[in-house]
């Protein structure tokens, strides 16, 4: 715990057998109370590795529900366990677990209710091997999102996120997509409810075993990002209604 607040790590897993052990071994268990791993229908030995590592709370999707569906199971389970601070850590070792303490303390001390680890602050993205086309797309989408959502984030597309449980209880994340666009829908919900998001610099790693979506899925994701971003101000102004913000 940190300041009597229960810290829970959630790991949305899909075919992570080659990287799960490395990721898990760097989790700071001096402050982390529970680890939840949700296996989204993996067809490798992710479950076997998780059990061998001693992860006690394993949620299983018999059929693949998608990245967003995986997160829903993770967050709902963390809330069931009465977590106070919930941190999503990808088990593909793309993000370093060594930032968990820094992210958790910002929330535990009441500085911010949400903390993102940004690959764009500093030079971590390119240095870590982010493909140039992904970097450019990230910057372009973030530029438009900041305008439409009236914010100043350096990146909307990081998968390394920490939440106060209060935030997750007060937004309707279960209404979000089960696909990758979940990540941007939940950001819009956070801002819609008036919460702030802090960012810290995060080095990242791009390598063969790290998760990445293909070009077609990237295009679909980008279109979804624009759709959510353009819908947000109209909902904020009361011109239209969306189940995301109810």
């Amino acid at each position: 715990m940190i300041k009597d607040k229960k810290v829970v790590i959630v790991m949305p897993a899909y075919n992570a057998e080659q990287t799960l052990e490395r990721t898990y071994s760097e989790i700071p268990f001096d402050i982390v109370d529970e680890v939840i791993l949700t296996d989204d229908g993996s067809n490798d030995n992710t479950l076997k590795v998780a059990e061998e590592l001693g992860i006690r709370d394993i949620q299983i999707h018999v059929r693949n529900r998608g990245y967003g569906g995986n997160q829903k199971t993770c967050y709902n389970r963390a809330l069931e366990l009465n977590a106070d601070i919930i941190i999503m850590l990808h088990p593909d070792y793309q993000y370093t677990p060594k930032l968990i303490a820094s992210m958790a303390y910002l929330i535990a001390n009441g500085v911010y209710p949400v903390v993102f680890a940004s690959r764009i602050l500093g030079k971590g993205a390119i240095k870590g091997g982010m493909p140039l086309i992904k970097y450019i797309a990230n910057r372009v989408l973030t530029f438009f999102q900041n305008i439409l959502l009236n914010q100043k984030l350096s990146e909307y597309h990081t998968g390394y996120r920490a939440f106060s449980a209060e935030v997750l209880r007060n937004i309707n994340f279960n209404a979000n997509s089960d696909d990758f666009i979940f990540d941007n829908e939940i950001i819009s919900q956070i801002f819609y409810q008036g919460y702030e998001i802090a960012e810290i610099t995060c080095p990242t790693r791009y390598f063969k075993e790290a998760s990445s979506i293909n070009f077609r899925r990237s295009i679909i994701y980008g279109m979804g990002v624009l759709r959510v971003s353009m819908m947000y101000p109209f909902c904020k102004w009361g011109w239209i209604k969306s189940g995301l913000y109810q």
Side-chain angles (χ1 to χ4, degrees):
M1 288 190 172
I2 299 177
K3 294 183 176 292
D4 296 323
K5 296 185 184 297
K6 185 175 183 178
V7 180
V8 174
I9 302 298
V10 298
M11 303 179 78
Y14 179 68
N15 292 342
E17 68 168 326
Q18 297 186 57
T19 54
L20 176 56
E21 182 175 1
R22 279 185 290 172
T23 306
Y24 186 79
S25 67
E26 292 186 10
I27 293 175
F29 284 102
D30 55 326
I31 63 168
V32 171
D33 300 283
E34 300 275 355
V35 173
I36 300 167
L37 182 140
T38 299
D39 182 75
D40 198 24
S42 295
N43 50 33
D44 66 357
N45 291 317
T46 296
L47 283 175
K48 181 180 178 182
V49 174
E51 292 168 352
E52 291 174 347
L53 289 172
I55 299 177
R56 294 177 295 178
D57 202 314
I58 300 175
Q59 307 297 308
I60 300 173
H61 292 171
V62 177
R63 296 182 179 178
N64 184 278
R65 284 185 52 189
Y67 178 54
N70 196 323
Q71 286 190 67
K72 291 176 188 179
T73 298
C74 285
Y75 298 146
N76 283 316
R77 179 57 180 159
L79 293 174
E80 287 176 4
L81 295 177
N82 295 314
D84 296 300
I85 299 171
I86 301 163
I87 302 176
M88 178 172 69
L89 174 67
H90 288 187
D92 65 357
Y93 203 58
Q94 187 176 108
Y95 302 97
T96 174
K98 295 178 181 179
L99 290 178
I100 287 173
S102 299
M103 298 169 76
Y105 270 104
L106 282 171
I107 296 175
N109 286 318
V111 181
Y112 285 97
V114 182
V115 182
F116 284 3
S118 171
R119 300 165 296 180
I120 303 301
L121 286 173
K123 298 181 180 180
I126 297 296
K127 184 178 179 180
M130 178 184 282
L132 182 60
I133 186 65
K134 286 183 177 290
Y135 178 82
I136 294 172
N138 188 313
R139 304 306 300 129
V140 171
L141 287 174
T142 293
F143 173 77
F144 284 107
Q145 288 174 277
N146 276 329
I147 292 174
L148 292 168
L149 275 66
N150 192 29
Q151 299 295 333
K152 291 185 178 180
L153 290 184
S154 70
E155 178 183 17
Y156 285 75
H157 314 290
T158 176
Y160 199 0
R161 306 172 173 205
F163 307 89
S164 163
E166 173 197 342
V167 173
L168 292 181
R169 290 193 182 98
N170 288 332
I171 61 176
N172 190 17
F173 66 84
N174 285 300
N176 295 352
S177 168
D178 283 344
D179 208 343
F180 288 99
I181 196 60
F182 176 98
D183 270 358
N184 278 266
E185 289 174 333
I186 198 171
I187 293 174
S188 73
Q189 291 170 323
I190 290 166
F191 285 140
Y192 192 89
Q193 292 297 335
Y195 293 111
E196 290 186 279
I197 298 175
E199 293 182 286
I200 63 174
T201 303
C202 175
T204 188
R205 309 176 184 92
Y206 279 81
F207 53 96
K208 182 180 178 181
E209 293 81 14
S211 298
S212 183
I213 60 176
N214 60 35
F215 180 75
R216 184 182 68 84
R217 297 294 297 278
S218 296
I219 294 298
I220 294 172
Y221 170 76
M223 296 300 292
V225 167
L226 294 175
R227 174 183 57 79
V228 172
S229 301
M230 289 187 288
M231 180 179 67
Y232 176 87
F234 292 109
C235 291
K236 197 71 175 175
W237 298 331
W239 294 3
I240 63 174
K241 293 183 179 180
S242 169
L244 297 182
Y245 310 118
Q246 294 178 2

